[in-house]
Amino acid sequence: MNAPAFPLEALAPIEPRPDRDAFTISDLCAEFSVTPRALRFYEDEGLIAPERRGTSRIYSHRDRARLAWILRGKRVGFSLGEIKEMIDLYDVGDGRSTQKQVTLERCLDRIALLENQKRDIDAHIAELHQFVDLLKSSD
């Protein structure tokens, strides 16, 4: 049996907006609590590609979904380069299986890294507690 296709929204959930055909920079800034400067930066980095109408940027549902991905990726510590690689895999044309697999591998790697860092931090804290106890007991 084939694995189900996972829409982009399933990996960075956002509420569907079938009532809208497009979004303004103000719409996305309000919805995602980002600044216009941040959106322009993501555009400059090739992460989103709004349509230009004169001096206005018109964002599609795709841009909105990609923005959700970008923000989620940043929250969990991925670089913009990693995020771009993962969201660009949406267009591979294989039912998003490559995107899902690469994202899964990256997430598991990130979890392992964070767990190692947590162990290191816990060890540092324990050693500091021992040092503090030693200092207190030597009075």
Side-chain angles (χ1 to χ4, degrees), residues 4-131:
F6 288 86
L8 187 62
E9 299 81 33
L11 299 176
I14 54 175
E15 289 295 318
R17 293 294 309 266
D19 60 315
R20 303 285 303 269
D21 291 328
F23 305 88
T24 66
I25 197 167
S26 298
D27 294 333
L28 294 186
C29 287
E31 180 177 359
F32 292 99
S33 299
V34 295
T35 64
R37 183 176 181 189
L39 290 180
R40 289 189 294 270
F41 176 74
Y42 298 144
E43 180 182 354
D44 290 344
E45 294 296 310
L47 294 161
I48 56 177
E51 178 186 336
R52 299 300 286 265
R53 291 186 192 156
T55 59
S56 297
R57 290 170 169 83
I58 307 301
Y59 296 88
S60 65
H61 286 277
R62 176 184 171 90
D63 292 319
R64 183 173 170 262
R66 288 175 71 100
L67 179 59
W69 246 90
I70 293 162
L71 298 175
R72 178 173 230 171
K74 283 182 54 179
R75 278 194 309 273
V76 299
F78 290 120
S79 71
L80 288 181
E82 290 170 317
I83 293 166
K84 182 173 182 353
E85 178 187 344
M86 287 183 282
I87 60 178
D88 284 350
L89 290 172
Y90 180 85
D91 298 321
V92 169
D94 65 353
R96 299 173 190 92
S97 64
T98 300
Q99 183 187 44
K100 180 184 175 194
Q101 186 59 42
V102 168
T103 301
L104 178 62
E105 289 169 7
R106 291 279 173 94
C107 288
L108 291 172
D109 289 346
R110 186 82 184 139
I111 289 167
L113 174 70
L114 291 170
E115 287 174 344
N116 286 335
Q117 289 175 336
K118 183 178 181 227
R119 276 191 294 279
D120 289 346
I121 290 169
D122 288 342
H124 288 285
I125 291 170
E127 188 167 346
L128 282 167
H129 279 298
Q130 290 173 350
F131 192 39

